[in-house]
Amino acid sequence: MASRDVLQELFVTGLKNAHAVEKQALSIMTPQVTRIENYPEVADRLRLHIEETNGQIARLDEILAEFDSSGSALKDMGLSMSGSMAALAHTVAGDEIVKNSFANYAFEHFEIAAYKSLLVMAEDGGFARAMPLLKQSLGEEEAMARWIDEHLPVVTRRYATLYAEGGSAKAKV
């Protein structure tokens, strides 16, 4: 197994990466929620997850502070910009709400994997104080992924119905 110093270096890098990914998540979800019209349950859940994501960023800041570190402004900015571009790309699609659901589902699983990896490093490196905070964030990501999974049939059917009726099937016109 790697030395504690190496694990700490990897752990801090992983925390900075997770911080940037959470900033990216905000840049993806925030524009989505403003465009949702015919899917109020999706908008409500995204608003809740935006609050959770802000909490996750605060928890990552707290853990990083214990290592006399902070999030990487460059990584945060870079991933936030790429998240904004991804959100913008879907706005031109007629099936924006469905594409956003696919992307959000995949993104949640990316975050789940990141937190699981951080938990392994925390355990192996003896960074026990970080574990409850990381587990809380992991639980929130898993809950969001489950919610998307459970609601994808509803969103898909509503999209198809609105499309068939000639109404606005987009998230918002």
Side-chain angles (χ1 to χ4, degrees), residues 2 13-14 23 37-38 49 69 81 85 90 103 137 149 152 157:
T13 299
K23 291 283 192 167
E37 183 175 281
N38 294 311
H49 198 55
S69 190
M81 286 176 53
M85 296 306 291
H90 289 176
S137 294
D149 184 49
L152 186 60
R157 286 185 179 115

Side-chain angles (χ1 to χ4, degrees), residues 41-42 45 142-152 155:
E41 71 282 4
V42 176
R45 188 59 179 97
E142 290 172 331
M144 184 63 178
R146 267 191 313 278
W147 189 93
I148 295 168
D149 184 49
E150 292 166 2
H151 287 82
L152 186 60
V155 168

Side-chain angles (χ1 to χ4, degrees), residues 11 23 44-45 59 124 136 167:
F11 185 59
K23 291 283 192 167
D44 289 345
R45 188 59 179 97
R59 287 191 286 278
D124 290 355
Q136 182 179 353

